């Protein structure tokens, strides 16, 4: 059974700092990994999708990497802003399984 | 247009009421999903529709009844709910089941009294 862990559960950093969020998964037989952000009481916004054949994806100040062999993905946020404050979730898709497995999320607070 | 639209945004209902949640997408996606999310928890999958056919039912109680009238619409019919069913209900879609990017709506906040 795939298990997805995000540590830490909460993180506070001063504005302007670069930061890294972590996502670990137990089964390396994945076909993609997706990062989302969720604002309180809102839906999930897709940030980046990495296919299993890819090592990283970039969008603006965000960079996501994938290392299947070690069961890890990281989301790098450059020059953090207060508007980046949200909960960040990773989700892993597995071959032959229609169900995504979500991580428990990291609640990020950017301090002005 | 990468939008999934959900209505209503908020719903309050009694345990004897019948109500429906609606979801719409116009991205040509052929997979649509219902998720349930409780506070401070990740979303939990309820149902998956692939090409308008129910593909997955995650052992959801029959008081939740999904319907996919066409490739753009997904409904969730609610009847005789319990207070513990209060949650954020999220609709999502993807090009096909578990391929490509998953897009979520803003959710419907349901309160059962």
């Amino acid at each position: 059974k795939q298990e997805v862990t995000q540590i830490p559960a909460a993180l506070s950093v001063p504005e302007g700092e670069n930061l890294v969020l972590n996502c670990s998964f137990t089964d390396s037989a994945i076909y993609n990994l997706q990062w989302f952000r969720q604002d309180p009481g809102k839906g999930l916004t897709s940030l980046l999708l990495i296919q299993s054949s890819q090592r990283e994806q970039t969008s603006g100040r965000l960079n996501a990497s994938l290392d299947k062999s070690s069961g890890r993905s990281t989301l790098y946020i450059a020059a953090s802003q207060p508007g980046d404050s949200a909960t960040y979730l990773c989700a892993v898709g597995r071959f032959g399984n229609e169900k995504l497995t979500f991580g428990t999320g990291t609640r990020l607070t950017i301090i002005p | 247009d990468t939008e999934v639209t959900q209505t209503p945004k908020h719903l309050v209902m009694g345990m004897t009421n019948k109500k429906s949640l609606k979801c719409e997408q116009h991205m040509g996606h052929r997979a649509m999903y219902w998720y349930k999310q409780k506070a401070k928890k990740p979303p939990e999958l309820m149902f998956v529709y692939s090409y308008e056919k129910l593909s997955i039912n995650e052992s959801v109680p029959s008081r939740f009844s999904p319907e996919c009238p066409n490739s753009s619409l997904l409904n969730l019919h609610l009847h005789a709910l319990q207070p513990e069913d209060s949650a954020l209900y999220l609709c999502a879609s993807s090009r096909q089941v578990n391929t490509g990017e998953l897009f979520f709506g803003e959710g419907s906040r349901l309160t059962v009294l």
Side-chain angles (χ1 to χ4, degrees):
Chain A
K1 178 189 171 187
Q2 178 74 277
E3 292 183 5
V4 182
T5 306
Q6 292 183 249
I7 296 173
L11 180 66
S12 293
V13 300
E15 180 179 0
E17 285 199 1
N18 303 326
L19 60 100
V20 173
L21 304 179
N22 298 297
C23 173
S24 299
F25 47 94
T26 54
D27 186 343
S28 62
I30 68 170
Y31 62 82
N32 67 23
L33 185 146
Q34 195 166 353
W35 281 93
F36 299 90
R37 70 171 280 168
Q38 185 174 31
D39 295 294
K42 301 290 189 182
L44 280 68
T45 300
S46 177
L47 297 174
L48 289 165
L49 172 72
I50 310 177
Q51 302 291 353
S52 61
S53 58
Q54 298 173 319
R55 297 281 295 184
E56 64 180 301
Q57 283 285 347
T58 298
S59 176
R61 293 182 295 110
L62 305 179
N63 176 278
S65 69
L66 175 64
D67 184 344
K68 281 199 312 177
S69 61
S70 66
R72 291 186 59 203
S73 176
T74 60
L75 179 67
Y76 173 84
I77 302 177
S80 58
Q81 303 170 357
D84 295 330
S85 297
T87 295
Y88 289 79
L89 294 147
C90 64
V92 176
R94 187 170 180 271
F95 287 111
N97 189 335
E98 295 170 304
K99 181 179 173 180
L100 284 184
T101 303
F102 279 85
T104 46
T106 295
R107 189 172 71 253
L108 176 66
T109 302
I110 305 300
I111 305 163
Chain B
D1 180 11
T2 57
E3 200 171 84
V4 176
T5 305
Q6 289 188 244
T7 56
K9 290 191 182 344
H10 300 277
L11 179 62
V12 179
M13 58 187 293
M15 289 189 285
T16 59
N17 291 157
K18 282 186 180 180
K19 297 285 184 183
S20 297
L21 305 181
K22 297 184 184 302
C23 175
E24 189 168 2
Q25 58 86 15
H26 295 288
M27 294 178 277
H29 289 174
R30 303 314 297 268
M32 296 187 76
Y33 310 76
W34 280 115
Y35 283 84
K36 172 182 177 180
Q37 188 178 29
K38 300 285 259 185
K40 300 190 188 302
K41 297 288 188 183
E44 298 175 12
L45 183 66
M46 300 175 71
F47 302 105
V48 179
Y49 272 84
S50 177
Y51 289 86
E52 295 103 70
K53 290 189 180 352
L54 185 63
S55 173
I56 292 180
N57 176 342
E58 287 285 299
S59 302
V60 179
S62 60
R63 57 185 183 269
F64 295 91
S65 175
E67 178 196 20
C68 191
N70 60 55
S71 60
S72 299
L73 294 173
L74 186 65
N75 298 321
L76 186 62
H77 303 297
L78 314 171
H79 174 56
L81 295 192
Q82 304 296 311
E84 59 265 29
D85 296 322
S86 298
L88 182 67
Y89 288 84
L90 295 163
C91 175
S93 72
S94 62
R95 189 160 39 89
Q96 294 187 32
V97 171
N98 280 348
T99 61
E101 202 167 355
L102 194 63
F103 293 90
F104 279 86
E106 284 294 310
S108 294
R109 170 72 61 190
L110 173 66
T111 303
V112 182
L113 301 177

